[in-house]
Amino acid sequence: QVALVESGGDSVQAGGSLKLSCTPSGFTITSKCMAWFRQFPGSQREGVAAVYTEGTGTYYDDSVKGRFTISQDNDKNTVYLQMNNLKPEDTGMYYCAAKPPPYPGRWFAWESYRYRGQGTQVTVVT
């Protein structure tokens, strides 16, 4: 069965760090566009970061550039989102998503992803 499992969400103080993990079952992360999205209450999901696992590029939303890093470990079949200097406005549900070639749609287009996780909650408190 194909699934994406996220983990690592937690409650953390502002200025702190968290590392989210996304591990698919039923497929490998190789030759995929793997992305992280987040959703705030009452809002649409927005793209946070994406990596084309063939090594052709990484992308970030402007709000997280310099603070968040997306990475991959092919041996562990896992994609990570390292989040540093967290702010209260980073609070939300974080989702992992994956799509195979030919990678239809923009990296930040949630609906273009074939596989989507159930989310992990990140809460940043002051």
Side-chain angles (χ1 to χ4, degrees):
Q1 185 173 351
V2 174
L4 283 170
V5 179
E6 305 101 330
S7 62
D10 205 345
S11 180
V12 63
Q13 286 199 323
S17 298
L18 282 175
K19 188 173 185 178
L20 305 183
S21 300
C22 171
T23 303
S25 61
F27 67 93
T28 67
I29 65 170
T30 55
S31 300
K32 299 290 187 300
C33 176
M34 302 293 298
W36 286 96
F37 289 78
R38 64 185 178 187
Q39 187 172 24
F40 309 123
S43 300
Q44 301 268 18
R45 284 185 183 89
E46 62 179 35
V48 175
V51 58
Y52 287 82
T53 59
E54 295 169 327
T56 53
T58 56
Y59 299 87
Y60 296 93
D61 183 75
D62 286 345
S63 65
V64 305
K65 281 181 181 176
R67 300 189 298 124
F68 291 11
T69 303
I70 190 169
S71 63
Q72 65 191 85
D73 185 330
N74 291 349
D75 291 338
K76 294 183 178 179
N77 200 37
T78 298
V79 172
Y80 303 99
L81 184 68
Q82 177 67 48
M83 306 186 293
N84 298 327
N85 190 22
L86 282 160
K87 304 176 181 180
E89 52 264 41
D90 293 319
T91 294
M93 187 70 78
Y94 283 69
Y95 299 88
C96 180
K99 57 184 173 182
Y103 311 124
R106 302 289 187 94
W107 73 264
F108 49 80
W110 172 256
E111 63 277 5
S112 71
Y113 286 79
R114 180 182 297 181
Y115 308 112
R116 308 169 194 174
Q118 296 300 306
T120 185
Q121 177 68 35
V122 171
T123 302
V124 184
V125 299
T126 55

